[in-house]
Every structure is written in C-alpha cells, then in structure tokens.
Amino acid sequence: MRAALCTVVAALCAALPAAASATTASSVGGALTITAGPGESNWIALETTTSCGPLTAPCLRVGEAANLTITPQGACVLPPFSTFPAVLCPIPAAVSVDAGDLDDVVEDWDGPSAVGGGAGNDIVEGRGGNDVLDGGVGADTLIGGPGDDGMTCPPLFGPGII
Ligand SMILES: [Ca+2]
Ligand SMILES: [Ca+2]
C-alpha cells in the first residue's frame, strides 16, 4: 500500500457553483461518470455486488452518504431497495469520480478509476485496479491500494508520497 499526504497551506480556490444538488452516476457506453453534488460533503463508495435488481449481475453499486441523494443516469438504475442512498450500474470499462467541493470521502472499487477530490480535505482510497488519484486543493489523504496508481497533489506544492 502506498499513501500520499498532501498538505496545502493556502487554498486559492474560487467560489463554486451553487446550482442544484444531488450526486449523479451516469453510465454511457461502458463509461461510468460520478459527479458529486456541489456544497456537499460526499461519501462515495463503489463496490461490485450480485444484488443487481434489473441489471445483469455482477454490477457496480455506487453508494452515497446517508443524508445525501444520488441519482441514476444512462444505464444506471435505482436499486429495488436500499437502506442508504445508492444506485446500481453495469460493470464499467472506465470510472471517473469528481467529489467536488468540501471534505469528501471516496472509496473506489477494485477496478481502474480516475478520482478527483476537488477542493476540500478529502480522503480517497483507490483499492484495486490501476487508478489515477488527484486530491485537488486541500489537505488530502490518498491511499492507492493494490495496483499501479498515479497520485497527484496540487502542483503548487508538488507531489508528496510516503
Ligand atoms: Ca463534495
Ligand atoms: Ca481536495
């Protein structure tokens, strides 16, 4: 396991969008794009599951923090039942996650992904697969896990790898 800690002394981020709400998970042509809702501290967790409702199993479950909303787009669907906010998507060929602003947690699946923490102090766990993890602005914790991972801290402060 490799871990990188990026500490940023000053954040020069611009004000961000106020537009509405809700994280989206969109599966189009095998590419899954997850975009966090603005103004939210997201907890986005991806995992393969065989409880796939109308989708072919296995599929990918995308969960969100209990107090937030996640909306399916494209080939993603709402699960038949779920205790926490979640959507189900076909197993993707590629995953892109944008956690947006504020302090977020992203738990990636055991597959290749590109994860951007965005502004805020984020925790990004890549797990398996060859991932590209970018904490963005903030004091971020990047945990690559197994696989050949690329990690990026804010360019101004250079990459920090432990
Ligand atoms: Ca966020
Ligand atoms: Ca960040």
Side-chain angles (χ1 to χ4, degrees), residues 29-114:
L32 175 61
T33 303
I34 299 167
T35 306
E40 298 176 345
S41 279
N42 306 95
W43 190 309
I44 297 169
L46 285 65
E47 62 177 353
T48 54
T49 178
T50 54
S51 299
C52 295
L55 299 183
T56 302
C59 59
L60 189 68
R61 181 182 186 278
V62 183
E64 206 5 321
N67 61 324
L68 299 179
T69 301
I70 183 167
T71 303
Q73 296 180 348
C76 297
V77 299
L78 288 172
F81 52 84
S82 180
T83 306
F84 295 101
V87 300
L88 302 173
C89 302
I91 293 292
V95 176
S96 174
V97 181
D98 178 0
D101 58 358
L102 302 190
D103 300 347
D104 305 302
V105 177
V106 179
E107 298 176 350
D108 191 31
W109 70 313
D110 284 328
S113 304

